[in-house]
Amino acid sequence: MNVDTLLTDHAACDSLLKRSASSFSFPIKLLPKAKRRGTTALYAFCRRVDDVVDEEPDKEIARKTLEQLENSLKAALSHERCDDPVLRAVVDSVRRFSIPEKYLYDILAGVRMDLNHQGYKSFEELQVYCQHVASAVGLAAIHIWGFRSDKAFVPADACGLAFQLTNILRDVPEDLSRGRIYIPAHDMLACGCSEVDLKSGRIGKGFDELIAIEVSRAEILFDQARELDEYLSTDGRLIFRAMFGVYRGLLESVRIAGASIFQTKIHPSKAMLICKGLATLACGTRTWKVL
């Protein structure tokens, strides 16, 4: 593939990132050009496959579209013809940064779980889903950013779980509108809550306890994810700390909102989240340990 085509492919990914107004936009800017381009391509791939499921109401059409995307991905990875610029860009990044192809297929498998969504009984079940749609992304990303030891894999997995749980808590009303409930049924039962209550908007006192449990679980995962900082390259530490700050700030907004998150999606300002990211980014190594 010629250089001009690749530049156009990566420009398409950059355009997708800008249109999405993602929380990741600011941290990605901290990377040097090549790593920024690779990370943007990875984001664009994830956005593309997510949108297939989230924006197509017909599950059979979504299923066929995902199958076509996977076939196109396989073709691109095998040096065969592929007409999708986002897939060509992410495959270019896979080759440049030695990203295991498995992670891309894990992401596709995770998105497919949403097509068969029937809820999750336990956190352990939810964890499998989160590892596919989020931890796999983080594990792919650190190959782009640079890491010094395989010990990075465990906290990278925890980071993916922490970020995805935060997303789940932020997006409860939006997911409900799509017929999805990600909060584990066992947690709801333990707090005296039910899916019927949630769907009908009967948000009683038990939901205060439920949100406290879910936020506490995410906080533990954030603490476990912090160790990733030790194993990343300098470039990797910069973007990781910024992303960590943004998502930790988002979780704090969820905690403050309390049980209201079950009825109204929170919308913390981008300026506040960027400030959180910058504050974490500015920490010295010693300060980072005790944040």
Side-chain angles (χ1 to χ4, degrees), residues 10 38 41-42 45 73 76-77 87-104 140 143-144:
H10 284 285
L42 178 63
F45 170 75
L73 176 63
L77 288 168
L87 295 184
R88 290 197 301 255
V90 79
V91 168
D92 174 59
S93 301
V94 164
R95 291 172 183 152
R96 286 177 184 272
F97 298 102
S98 300
I99 302 170
E101 297 174 9
K102 171 185 182 297
Y103 297 139
L104 300 185
H143 282 76
I144 300 171

Side-chain angles (χ1 to χ4, degrees), residues 24 27-31 39 145 232 234-244 281:
F24 290 142
I28 289 175
K29 291 177 181 177
L30 299 172
L31 290 167
T39 305
W145 304 345
L232 295 175
T234 300
D235 295 334
R237 286 199 301 273
L238 292 176
I239 185 171
F240 168 63
R241 289 186 184 187
M243 284 186 171
F244 188 101
L281 181 63

Side-chain angles (χ1 to χ4, degrees), residues 151-163:
K151 291 180 180 179
F153 296 162
V154 172
D157 175 65
C159 186
L161 293 174
F163 284 15

Side-chain angles (χ1 to χ4, degrees), residues 75-254:
L77 288 168
S78 300
H79 301 273
E80 297 174 12
R81 179 184 173 88
C82 174
D83 297 323
D84 189 314
V86 170
L87 295 184
R88 290 197 301 255
V90 79
V91 168
D92 174 59
S93 301
V94 164
R95 291 172 183 152
R96 286 177 184 272
F97 298 102
S98 300
I99 302 170
E101 297 174 9
K102 171 185 182 297
Y103 297 139
L104 300 185
Y105 291 115
D106 281 348
I107 293 165
L108 282 165
V111 171
R112 279 198 180 91
M113 291 181 191
D114 281 331
L115 293 176
N116 304 310
H117 183 89
Q118 294 182 340
Y120 297 95
K121 292 181 180 179
S122 65
F123 174 68
E124 288 71 25
E125 288 185 4
L126 178 62
Q127 182 174 344
V128 173
Y129 167 77
C130 293
Q131 285 173 324
H132 279 80
V133 297
S135 295
V137 181
L139 288 163
I142 65 173
H143 282 76
I144 300 171
W145 304 345
F147 60 94
R148 297 190 298 274
S149 168
D150 288 355
K151 291 180 180 179
F153 296 162
V154 172
D157 175 65
C159 186
L161 293 174
F163 284 15
Q164 187 62 23
L165 281 179
T166 302
N167 283 338
I168 285 170
L169 295 174
R170 176 194 60 188
D171 294 339
V172 170
E174 190 174 314
D175 289 330
L176 269 175
S177 71
R178 296 184 174 120
R180 303 179 203 154
I181 296 175
Y182 292 98
I183 306 295
H186 290 175
D187 292 350
M188 297 183 74
L189 182 62
C191 297
C193 306
S194 72
E195 290 189 5
V196 174
D197 292 333
L198 184 55
K199 290 176 180 177
S200 62
R202 293 195 299 268
I203 309 301
K205 291 184 178 179
F207 283 90
D208 291 317
E209 183 181 354
L210 180 60
I211 190 62
I213 288 173
E214 304 308 327
V215 168
S216 177
R217 179 177 285 138
E219 287 175 338
I220 291 170
L221 288 164
F222 271 107
D223 285 342
Q224 293 170 355
R226 200 185 303 275
E227 186 181 348
L228 179 58
D229 189 74
E230 298 179 26
Y231 305 116
L232 295 175
S233 67
T234 300
D235 295 334
R237 286 199 301 273
L238 292 176
I239 185 171
F240 168 63
R241 289 186 184 187
M243 284 186 171
F244 188 101
V246 166
Y247 264 81
R248 197 63 184 76
L250 184 55
L251 182 66
E252 180 63 13
S253 295
V254 168

